[in-house]
Amino acid sequence: MNHLHNLPASDNLPASRRIFSGDLGAPYTPLLPAPKPPYGADLVVLESTYGDRLHGGRKNRKEKLRQVIELALQDRGVILIPAFSIGRTQELLYEIEELIHRNRQRFAARNLPWEELEIILDSPLASRFTKLYRELQPFWDAEAHVKLKSGRTPLAFEQLTTIDNHRDHLHTVNYLKRKARPCIVVAASGMCSGGRIVNYLKATIGDPRTDILFSGYQAVGTPGRAIQKYGQKGGYVVLDGKRYDIHTLSGYSAHADQRNLVNFIKRMRKRPKHVRLVHGEPGAQQALRQKLEQLGIIVD
């Protein structure tokens, strides 16, 4: 979600134009306008989550997502996608609908065509906001409107099953624990620190057929970070005080990267004299600091 805010003057800086970037997100998302730099500022407080990384373009991300899903489904297990309810979930649904549409003649798994792959959305908050996104269709970009005109519904497609109540949630968790049928489950929270994704993890993470696909940044100290760090090493994660072994996982991310963050500053008509980096680990902040200082900007 993109935010631009003017900050009040502080004791050690004169009154000036101050901007807080918020989470810039990645450009070229059909459901949201791309983040645009303001005309100028004296001070910018800039997030630096991926200040040390460069991501591939959207086309490459979609192809990677297809490859990751097909690889994960080779053993006909469950793919769990922890996702934040606002923004990231809707982006994922949009991209998955595109994959289903383009690959409907391919097999996502053995004896399972893409057009028969079930996508389970299990998050009350995400469900409500997905409905709001659909109501805001006039603000979608040209690409999304082409799909709508052709009769497609990127956020309400045939293969999408929405879990509305807690009883159905528990039934779905228990069913997947017993059957481990090939499907994709999208549920909050995005860092596995709470929400319905935790129940899916506890029920299926011990099954070697289960894959976890991360769609966003995993902060230090969260279960998601532990899974991301130790999952490919035969490690474990602790959920609600109980240890669960981890077998395999895959990764996918679409956040704003170093290039996007630098361009946000670089493309201002009046570049700021100062940038303050927040919301990033020390390594990411240091890498981004070096890039910004090359522009002659004071970074603290």
Side-chain angles (χ1 to χ4, degrees), residues 1-3 21-26 32 86-88 91 129 133 255:
M1 191 171 294
N2 308 321
H3 301 285
S21 71
D23 179 4
L24 288 179
L32 288 174
I86 306 173
R88 182 47 45 86
E91 292 170 9
F129 272 90
Y133 266 74
H255 272 292

Side-chain angles (χ1 to χ4, degrees), residues 16-292:
S16 57
R17 183 174 176 82
R18 302 153 186 248
I19 291 176
F20 172 58
S21 71
D23 179 4
L24 288 179
Y28 313 118
T29 53
L31 302 178
L32 288 174
K36 295 181 179 180
Y39 176 83
D42 299 290
L43 168 69
V44 174
V45 179
L46 180 67
E47 64 107 341
S48 57
T49 307
Y50 284 134
D52 58 347
R53 305 184 203 179
L54 295 175
H55 299 319
R58 182 169 168 240
K59 182 178 180 180
N60 292 333
R61 290 200 305 269
K62 287 195 292 186
E63 177 60 18
K64 181 181 179 181
L65 180 59
R66 181 192 66 79
Q67 294 173 356
V68 164
I69 290 173
E70 291 184 356
L71 179 63
L73 291 176
Q74 284 183 351
D75 53 11
R76 296 181 62 83
V78 175
I79 297 177
L80 302 179
I81 305 183
F84 294 106
S85 297
I86 306 173
R88 182 47 45 86
T89 290
Q90 292 74 34
E91 292 170 9
L92 281 166
L93 295 179
Y94 184 95
E95 300 291 16
I96 290 172
E97 187 275 340
E98 173 72 11
L99 290 177
I100 291 173
H101 178 76
R102 287 187 176 274
N103 298 284
R104 52 191 181 278
Q105 303 302 321
R106 291 174 56 94
F107 283 86
R110 187 177 67 257
N111 300 322
L112 178 64
W114 267 91
E115 61 183 356
E116 296 179 13
L117 175 62
E118 183 178 17
I119 315 300
I120 299 173
L121 174 60
D122 192 349
S123 168
L125 183 60
S127 178
R128 290 198 295 272
F129 272 90
T130 299
K131 292 178 181 178
L132 289 175
Y133 266 74
R134 293 201 297 267
E135 293 174 6
L136 295 172
Q137 288 178 2
F139 300 97
W140 294 6
D141 75 0
E143 174 192 305
H145 279 278
V146 169
K147 294 183 180 183
L148 294 173
K149 290 178 181 179
S150 69
R152 290 165 59 185
T153 51
L155 298 184
F157 46 97
E158 181 181 354
Q159 296 83 357
L160 179 62
T161 299
T162 301
I163 306 299
D164 293 319
N165 58 66
H166 190 65
R167 182 188 63 185
D168 290 344
H169 161 70
L170 294 178
H171 174 79
T172 304
V173 169
N174 292 330
Y175 178 81
L176 292 180
K177 182 177 181 179
R178 296 194 313 269
K179 301 293 185 179
R181 60 174 293 184
C183 65
I184 297 175
V185 177
V186 181
S189 69
M191 297 185 190
C192 308
S193 54
R196 293 185 175 182
I197 191 65
V198 175
N199 289 335
Y200 284 103
L201 287 167
K202 291 191 290 186
T204 65
I205 200 171
D207 189 328
R209 294 170 294 180
T210 298
D211 280 76
I212 304 168
L213 173 58
F214 288 108
S215 62
Y217 176 75
Q218 304 298 308
V220 174
T222 63
R225 182 62 166 262
I227 296 170
Q228 194 175 56
K229 183 176 181 180
Y230 300 114
Q232 293 179 342
K233 303 176 182 178
Y236 66 91
V237 65
V238 176
L239 299 170
D240 291 343
K242 185 176 180 180
R243 171 174 163 163
Y244 294 85
D245 292 331
I246 306 168
H247 296 274
T248 58
L249 63 94
S250 305
Y252 174 82
S253 180
H255 272 292
D257 64 4
Q258 184 188 84
R259 183 185 297 108
N260 303 141
L261 295 168
V262 171
N263 283 342
F264 182 77
I265 301 297
K266 192 175 181 179
R267 292 173 180 172
M268 290 184 183
R269 296 285 296 275
K270 179 186 175 183
R271 292 182 186 173
K273 298 176 182 177
H274 294 82
V275 170
R276 290 179 180 170
L277 299 180
V278 296
H279 200 275
E281 295 180 22
Q285 290 194 1
Q286 180 59 28
L288 184 57
R289 176 195 304 272
Q290 293 175 357
K291 290 292 184 180
L292 293 174

